[in-house]
């Protein structure tokens, strides 16, 4: 596990972007699952501004680690956010963008997206293997859309599952934990003081860590990285 702490969210995003560019350069094609929420927005802007030419986007295939079951133009769509901040600003083939159909019936979409992943990704250990899964960290310790009251999604069979946000009831499509842990690299990008308590609990296995889904993200053969700013790392 590699834990990197940076002065600011901007520096954390910049460092991750530089690592991502180096990892992509080493491969013929590169399969990434993007995270959602607000944290990666800085990263998307930085990639669009500084890595438009420095990454060969023709060889990058973008998926999502989770998606809200809303239409793509909805303000809460993880795809919609990435489209606005990144996808419309880089030269990536449309066929390389594999969005979740948030507008579809969740149960049907979980099956369809699982098939889309199955048909596009290489397999390791009888499971699809992403080159990289980018994850955020919820203040309740969730990651992707695996919430503390749905820990069974960590070990669920299959590739994607339907999840339910514990407060809003919003349906989500999420990669199951076994597929996340089958990636060659998993990177958490977590910033802000709101994440500090959970980061500490997870990284130092403090009391109750077992109840946090993000604490169970430990790639079986891959590498795990944390990109933190000082606040999320609990440094004032
Ligand atoms: C989502 C996510 C989710 C997110 C965390 C952190 O769709 O919301 O993928 O796992 O990464 O909730 O969200 P913030 O970055 O907004 O704090």
């Amino acid at each position: 596990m590699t834990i990197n702490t940076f002065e600011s969210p901007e520096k954390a995003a910049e460092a991750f972007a530089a690592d991502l560019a180096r990892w992509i350069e080493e491969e013929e094609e590169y399969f990434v699952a993007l995270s959602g929420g607000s944290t990666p927005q800085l990263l998307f802007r930085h990639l669009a501004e500084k890595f438009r030419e420095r990454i060969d986007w023709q060889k990058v295939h973008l998926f999502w680690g989770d998606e809200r079951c809303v239409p793509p133009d909805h303000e809460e769509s993880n795809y919609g956010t990435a489209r606005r901040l990144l996808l419309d600003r880089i030269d990536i083939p449309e066929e390389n963008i594999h969005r979740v159909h948030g507008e579809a019936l969740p149960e049907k979409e979980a099956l369809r997206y699982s098939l889309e992943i199955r048909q596009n990704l290489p397999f390791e250990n009888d499971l699809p293997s992403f080159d990289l899964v980018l994850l955020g960290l919820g203040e309740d310790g969730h990651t992707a859309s695996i919430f503390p009251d749905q820990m069974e999604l960590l070990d669920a069979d299959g590739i994607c599952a339907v999840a339910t946000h514990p407060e809003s009831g919003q349906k989500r499509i999420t990669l199951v934990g076994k597929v996340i842990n089958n990636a060659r690299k998993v990177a958490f990008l977590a910033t802000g003081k709101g994440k500090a308590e959970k980061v500490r609990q997870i990284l130092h296995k403090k009391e109750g860590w077992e109840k946090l889904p993000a604490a169970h993200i430990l790639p079986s053969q891959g590498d795990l990285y944390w990109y933190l700013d000082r606040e999320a790392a609990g440094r004032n």
Side-chain angles (χ1 to χ4, degrees), residues 35-39 66 68 78 136-138 142-144 172 195:
S35 60
S38 56
T39 302
D66 70 317
R68 293 79 179 276
N78 290 334
L137 177 66
H142 80 261
T143 193
R172 306 276 186 94
K195 310 296 172 80

Side-chain angles (χ1 to χ4, degrees), residues 111-131:
L111 292 174
R112 188 205 67 80
Y113 201 58
S114 296
L115 187 60
E116 180 158 354
I117 291 172
R118 181 177 292 279
Q119 288 173 336
N120 283 279
L121 262 69
F123 268 59
E124 293 283 335
N125 316 311
D126 293 330
L127 283 170
S129 178
F130 282 94
D131 290 299

Side-chain angles (χ1 to χ4, degrees), residues 135-154:
L135 295 172
L137 177 66
E139 294 191 11
D140 62 355
H142 80 261
T143 193
S145 282
I146 304 176
F147 295 97
D149 66 343
Q150 293 155 68
M151 296 285 276
E152 69 278 5
L153 295 181
L154 285 166

Side-chain angles (χ1 to χ4, degrees), residues 145-158 160-164 174-179 210-213 216:
S145 282
I146 304 176
F147 295 97
D149 66 343
Q150 293 155 68
M151 296 285 276
E152 69 278 5
L153 295 181
L154 285 166
D155 295 321
D157 291 330
C160 299
V162 177
T164 305
T174 187
L175 290 180
V176 298
K178 275 197 294 199
V179 171
E210 305 89 340
K211 296 190 180 69
L212 308 178
H216 297 269

Side-chain angles (χ1 to χ4, degrees), residues 74-133:
H74 188 286
E75 63 173 3
E76 290 191 30
S77 167
N78 290 334
Y79 160 80
T81 300
R83 169 59 72 182
R84 182 165 44 83
L85 300 178
L86 175 62
L87 306 182
D88 278 347
R89 303 170 64 193
I90 56 175
D91 185 19
I92 184 167
E94 282 303 316
E95 63 269 22
N96 289 23
I97 300 169
H98 305 265
R99 77 175 181 91
V100 178
H101 296 173
E103 67 277 20
L105 190 69
E107 288 68 19
K108 269 183 70 176
E109 179 55 17
L111 292 174
R112 188 205 67 80
Y113 201 58
S114 296
L115 187 60
E116 180 158 354
I117 291 172
R118 181 177 292 279
Q119 288 173 336
N120 283 279
L121 262 69
F123 268 59
E124 293 283 335
N125 316 311
D126 293 330
L127 283 170
S129 178
F130 282 94
D131 290 299
L132 170 69
V133 175

